[in-house]
Amino acid sequence: MKKSVTSVIETASAGKSVTEPFTLLLMGVDSTDEVLSKSAIAHGDTLILITFNPKTLNATMISIPRDSYIPISCWSGRPENKITHAAMYGNDCMINTIQNYFDVNIDYYVKINFKGLVKLVDAVGGVEVDVPQVLCTDDSSRGGDICINPGRQVLKGEQALVFARNRKAFSDGDFRRAQHQQEIIMALVNKMKNIKDVSSFMSVLNTVSNSMDTNLTTKQI
């Protein structure tokens, strides 16, 4: 089984108007590379379905645990396996796996790796979250450990990655990690809402562009 190099989903926008309600898949992959290429091989450790209604400005987020055993759409006979492995066979495989199992249409996707999250958080000046206890993980290059202390605080990029990745420190494991990932997203949204002009917003996106992959067009963004 090999990852497809290109696909319709990877190379073209869904064409659905972003003025109408749409569903987006946010994927965080465990790649330490500076550049996230479409041919990159990495597990899909963060999977969040986001449905956004631009008319009411309401969004819902549903996290899918990365170890969920479900049929993998691009494997012969669709055997069940951990959903995280689907990402190693391309965006189509992951998106179709989720669509088939959950009976949902995914209009768009955004994929980001370790470096992308670090750069994005730093580009907006950090994110404010409440850290429940001392947490430690290796950095975005899988080098030395970085630790963060408990308490409400503004985390820089590498610290935010520690908060978003840690699961072994908690009895509820991946469920707590999913909660923390959603908290990071909301903190990023709150920061971005304060950006008042398009050029500043595009500057933030340009900062992370080589560590992010999406089928949204620049105009849609």
Side-chain angles (χ1 to χ4, degrees):
M1 292 176 289
K2 295 183 179 180
K3 180 189 181 301
S4 58
V5 176
T6 59
S7 68
V8 173
I9 293 175
E10 287 184 334
T11 58
S13 166
K16 184 173 184 178
S17 172
V18 292
T19 62
E20 299 295 327
F22 62 89
T23 297
L24 177 147
L25 174 64
L26 175 61
M27 289 186 282
V29 296
D30 65 349
S31 164
T32 60
D33 294 338
E34 192 70 36
V35 177
L36 180 62
S37 66
K38 289 187 181 296
S39 60
I41 302 296
H43 291 104
D45 283 350
T46 299
L47 301 167
I48 303 177
L49 281 175
I50 302 174
T51 299
F52 181 66
N53 188 331
K55 297 179 179 179
T56 63
L57 298 183
N58 288 329
T60 59
M61 290 189 289
I62 299 176
S63 295
I64 302 171
R66 49 97 69 192
D67 289 338
S68 301
Y69 256 69
I70 67 174
I72 306 301
S73 66
C74 63
W75 292 7
S76 177
R78 295 187 178 182
E80 290 189 355
N81 209 295
K82 294 179 181 180
I83 192 173
T84 183
H85 295 154
M88 299 183 71
Y89 297 86
N91 297 331
D92 275 21
C93 187
M94 178 61 80
I95 289 171
N96 289 331
T97 294
I98 293 174
Q99 288 186 144
N100 292 339
Y101 189 77
F102 293 98
D103 192 24
V104 61
N105 290 323
I106 296 173
D107 301 301
Y108 300 105
Y109 75 87
V110 175
K111 183 167 66 176
I112 194 167
N113 64 3
F114 288 171
K115 300 291 187 183
L117 177 63
V118 170
K119 288 186 282 189
L120 181 57
V121 170
D122 285 338
V124 299
V127 290
E128 184 176 355
V129 297
D130 190 7
V131 181
Q133 64 187 63
V134 174
L135 298 174
C136 301
T137 63
D138 49 6
D139 63 21
S140 61
S141 299
R142 294 195 186 278
D145 279 356
I146 293 177
C147 296
I148 53 178
N149 293 316
R152 189 153 196 89
Q153 59 194 285
V154 175
L155 301 180
K156 295 180 180 179
E158 289 285 356
Q159 296 171 317
L161 185 63
V162 172
F163 185 75
R165 287 181 60 201
N166 208 294
R167 59 173 173 155
K168 294 183 179 179
F170 304 106
S171 61
D172 49 357
D174 205 34
F175 294 103
R176 181 70 67 92
R177 179 167 68 171
Q179 176 186 328
H180 287 175
Q181 290 168 353
Q182 292 193 10
E183 289 176 16
I184 290 289
I185 292 171
M186 291 308 302
L188 282 167
V189 168
N190 287 334
K191 276 298 190 73
M192 290 183 178
K193 284 194 299 186
N194 293 323
I195 299 176
K196 302 303 182 183
D197 61 279
V198 174
S199 61
S200 295
F201 183 75
M202 295 309 296
S203 177
V204 170
L205 291 181
N206 287 335
T207 299
V208 301
S209 60
N210 66 345
S211 300
M212 184 179 73
D213 176 34
T214 182
N215 62 344
L216 283 162
T217 66
T218 301
K219 183 178 180 180
Q220 287 171 323
I221 292 173

